[in-house]
Amino acid sequence: MELPKLAIAALGGTVSMQAMNAGEGVTPIISGEVLLDSVPELATLARVNVETLGLLPSASLDFEFLLSVLSWASFQIRQGAVGVVITQGTDTLEETATFFDFLWDHDQPLVLTGAMRSAASAGADGPANLLDACRVALAAQSRQRGVQVVMNGQIHSASVVRKTDSLALQAFSSPIVGPAGMLVENAIHYLHPPTQRKVLPLPQHTTQRIALLEASLSADSLMLENIIELAYDGLVIAGFGAGHVPENWAGVIETIAGTIPVIIATRTGSGPTAQSTYGFMGGEMDLIRKGASMAGFLCPRKARILLWLLVGCQQQHRLASYLSKD
Ligand code: GLU
C-alpha cells in the first residue's frame, strides 16, 4: 500500500538551533532536510516533502512571511498531502498558530511544533516533537480541527494554546479547557470533539498596524493618547482582571474607539473578560458603553491577530461575531 503524502516546512527556532562553535550561543542553522534525519521512523509512515522556508528565531517571523508559508501549505494540500507540519520557534508559536488557524480553510490538519532544547543538547525534544506532530498530521481523527500545536506529548488547539513557561519542557498549556488531546504509545487520543471554526478571508492589505498595550498599576496614558496620531488601525488592551483599565485610560479609550476598533482582553493569562458585572469607570460595562469590544476568551495577542486580519480584509464590522463563542 502506498504511504500517505505529508509536507513539512522548517522555519527555524530552537528545534533548528545549534552553536556554530563551542561556547557560542545557539542560532537557527539546521535545515528541514537535516531535521528529518533525526526521525528515521517517519519514512515508514509517510512520503515526505520537506522544505526549509526560513531559518529564523520565531521573534523575527512576520505576518507577510506567514502568509507565504500559508500559501505553501495550501499548495501542499492541493498536491495531495494529507496534512502539513511546520517547525518553528516556540516563542511566538501561540501567535503563528492562531494566525494560521484563522485562515486555514482545509479539512486536513496543519500542525505546528518546535522544541525547548536545541538540537545538540542532551535530551533534545525536537525529534520526539517532530515525530509526534507528523503522527497527528497523518491521523484521520485530526481532520476538521484546524491548526494544532503538538509539544511534549500533548496536542493543543491553536485558538486556546499559550506558551506559559519560558524554558521548561512543558512550556505550552491550554488554560481552562486543557489540551485537545495527547499521544499515548504513539496513538492519538483526542479529549474533546472538534469545535465549529470561523475562517476568515485572506487579507488584501498587510500594512495595517494594530497596537497592543498592557494596563499596569499607576500607568500614564501618554502612549494611549497618541495611538490615533500614530495612525494605528486598531488597538488591543491587555486589561486588568476581567477587562478593566485605570480611570484615566477610560476617557481616552472612548475617543480612540470613535475612530478605530478597540478590543479589551485580560492580561491574567486565563479566563474570559466580563460583559455585565462591573460598573465603575474603566470597568467592562463602562468600556463597552464607550465603544470598546470585549475579547471574551481570546487572549490579548490572539485578539491582536484577529483584528489585524479583519482590518486586512475590511471585515472589522464583523468583529463581534468573531469574538463571541458561538
Ligand atoms: N525557546 C524558543 C524556541 O523554542 C527560542 C527561539 C525561538 O522562538 O525561535 O525556539
Side-chain angles (χ1 to χ4, degrees):
M1 200 183 72
E2 201 172 53
L3 292 174
K5 267 187 171 179
L6 179 70
I8 303 178
L11 308 187
T14 298
V15 65
S16 278
M17 289 195 197
Q18 203 170 304
M20 286 279 217
N21 299 298
E24 286 179 2
V26 297
T27 55
I29 51 175
I30 302 173
S31 69
E33 293 76 359
V34 174
L35 278 186
L36 216 55
D37 294 339
S38 67
V39 287
E41 200 180 330
L42 186 56
T44 65
L45 304 175
R47 286 176 292 146
V48 176
N49 173 35
V50 63
E51 287 189 39
T52 305
L53 301 181
L55 280 176
L56 295 161
S58 70
S60 297
L61 298 171
D62 64 38
F63 293 154
E64 287 199 15
F65 175 65
L66 294 183
L67 286 172
S68 70
V69 175
L70 183 81
S71 135
W72 177 89
S74 288
F75 178 72
Q76 301 304 312
I77 296 296
R78 289 197 300 275
Q79 293 295 105
V82 299
V84 177
V85 172
I86 294 174
T87 63
Q88 66 152 91
T90 59
D91 283 357
T92 62
L93 194 56
E94 63 188 280
E95 284 165 271
T96 53
T98 301
F99 184 90
F100 289 136
D101 195 46
F102 276 128
L103 298 172
W104 187 249
D105 58 1
H106 305 281
D107 285 348
Q108 292 88 340
L110 176 60
V111 181
L112 272 55
T113 192
M116 295 305 292
R117 292 180 182 154
S118 58
S121 60
D125 53 331
N129 286 339
L130 176 57
L131 192 55
D132 281 352
C134 292
R135 289 187 197 283
V136 171
L138 289 165
Q141 315 95 285
S142 300
R143 289 174 69 91
Q144 294 181 334
R145 287 179 178 269
V147 177
Q148 314 228 62
V149 170
V150 172
M151 289 288 293
N152 208 26
Q154 294 186 334
I155 310 167
H156 295 271
S157 294
S159 59
V160 288
V161 68
R162 296 183 190 187
K163 186 173 187 182
T164 45
D165 198 292
S166 56
L167 288 165
L169 274 189
Q170 183 58 33
F172 286 83
S173 59
S174 297
I176 303 187
V177 293
M182 60 205 288
L183 288 108
V184 181
E185 297 174 321
N186 300 331
I188 288 124
H189 295 268
Y190 279 105
L191 307 168
H192 306 297
T195 51
Q196 189 72 39
R197 299 174 57 239
K198 294 172 187 165
V199 178
L200 280 162
L202 280 172
Q204 297 117 34
H205 309 281
T206 55
T207 52
Q208 62 276 19
R209 296 187 304 155
I210 310 297
L212 170 54
L213 295 180
E214 179 166 308
S216 56
L217 191 62
S218 198
D220 64 73
S221 56
L222 191 59
M223 283 198 282
L224 200 59
E225 279 159 26
N226 285 289
I227 290 290
I228 297 292
E229 196 157 318
L230 289 169
Y232 278 96
D233 302 290
L235 168 67
V236 176
I237 291 179
F240 301 117
H244 304 151
V245 299
E247 252 184 48
N248 61 324
W249 281 30
V252 189
I253 286 173
E254 182 167 27
T255 310
I256 299 169
T259 309
I260 58 173
V262 178
I263 303 179
I264 315 289
T266 172
R267 66 174 199 169
T268 58
S270 179
T273 50
Q275 284 283 336
S276 54
T277 301
Y278 291 98
F280 59 82
M281 197 191 289
E284 82 281 356
M285 290 175 74
D286 177 46
L287 294 171
I288 293 168
R289 246 188 333 264
K290 289 181 158 79
S293 304
M294 303 308 290
F297 283 88
L298 269 195
C299 80
R301 297 178 285 273
K302 292 181 195 287
R304 175 174 168 269
I305 286 169
L306 171 64
L307 192 48
W308 189 88
L309 289 169
L310 284 171
V311 171
C313 59
Q314 288 164 324
Q315 297 283 312
Q316 52 270 46
H317 55 278
R318 295 180 60 206
L319 178 60
S321 75
Y322 282 91
L323 291 174
S324 72
K325 274 302 274 174
D326 29 62

